[in-house]
């Protein structure tokens, strides 16, 4: 009787696992890395000033995060806004998966402190940036590859 129960339990587990695998393989895509995308609207004539600031802080901190394998890559895209309410710059940071975002601040705060300065200095920089840009939105999205 006990042997029969073990066999039935094993078959049930196998069937559930097979169903799970089958359900995943039915998706029309495979999951890839995760991107954090920030949409930025710079004030008229201030794009270059904003980008100069990013070259000092954003680039430096993300290059260090990349060295420490906290991120995979980052990109900055620039283009014309479609209308007065649209963004003109995209800041994109690539992570290997969603789990990489867990406790991320604990890992990046020391980088920010070393390259940007104290929390007060970071706050002053953030306030200064308000004069030349507006954050229109922020999204975290998963990259996929269609099958």
């Amino acid at each position: 009787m006990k042997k029969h129960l073990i066999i039935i339990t094993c078959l049930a587990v196998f069937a559930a696992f097979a169903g799970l695998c089958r359900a995943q393989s039915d998706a029309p895509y495979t999951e890839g890395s995760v991107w954090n995308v920030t949409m930025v609207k710079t004030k008229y004539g201030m794009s270059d000033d904003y980008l100069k600031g990013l070259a000092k802080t954003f680039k430096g901190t993300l290059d260090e995060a990349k060295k420490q394998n906290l991120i995979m890559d980052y990109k900055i895209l620039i283009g014309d806004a479609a209308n007065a309410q649209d963004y003109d710059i995209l800041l994109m940071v690539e992570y290997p998966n969603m789990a990489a975002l867990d406790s991320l601040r604990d890992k990046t705060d020391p980088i920010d402190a070393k390259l940007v300065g104290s929390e007060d200095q970071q706050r002053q920089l953030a306030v200064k940036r308000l004069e030349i840009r507006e954050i229109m939105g922020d999204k975290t999205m998963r990259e996929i590859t269609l099958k």
Side-chain angles (χ1 to χ4, degrees):
M1 179 72 170
K2 192 174 186 181
K3 190 175 184 181
H4 181 57
L5 185 58
I6 291 172
I7 292 172
I8 290 174
T9 302
C10 287
L11 287 174
V13 169
F14 177 75
F17 181 72
L20 179 62
C21 290
R22 195 175 320 111
Q24 289 175 349
S25 66
D26 287 343
Y29 60 86
T30 55
E31 293 181 344
S33 58
V34 173
W35 287 87
N36 178 265
V37 181
T38 303
M39 294 148 277
V40 179
K41 175 184 173 184
T42 56
K43 293 188 179 176
Y44 184 77
M46 300 304 287
S47 294
D48 284 350
D49 290 337
Y50 181 63
L51 293 171
K52 286 175 188 175
L54 290 182
K56 292 178 183 175
T57 56
F58 186 78
K59 181 181 182 336
T61 56
L62 291 179
D63 284 344
E64 182 60 28
K66 194 172 179 179
K67 278 187 208 171
Q68 294 183 25
N69 293 317
L70 300 177
I71 68 169
M72 294 172 63
D73 202 5
Y74 66 93
K75 297 183 184 305
I76 300 173
L77 304 180
I78 188 168
D80 295 331
N83 57 51
Q85 291 75 41
D86 195 19
Y87 58 88
D88 59 332
I89 296 177
L90 282 177
L91 307 176
M92 303 169 53
V93 181
E94 183 180 21
Y95 301 90
N97 51 43
M98 290 288 189
L101 301 175
D102 292 345
S103 303
L104 184 62
R105 186 169 176 184
D106 293 339
K107 299 168 190 165
T108 57
D109 277 355
I111 296 171
D112 292 339
K114 178 181 174 185
L115 298 176
V116 181
S118 68
E119 285 186 33
D120 284 341
Q121 290 171 311
Q122 292 176 42
R123 193 173 5 270
Q124 289 171 2
L125 181 61
V127 169
K128 187 176 179 183
R129 284 191 178 151
L130 289 173
E131 298 170 7
I132 60 174
R133 64 98 172 103
E134 178 182 355
I135 301 296
M136 302 301 291
D138 191 56
K139 289 186 174 217
T140 300
M141 303 179 79
R142 183 180 298 281
E143 186 172 334
I144 63 167
T145 303
L146 297 175
K147 290 182 178 178

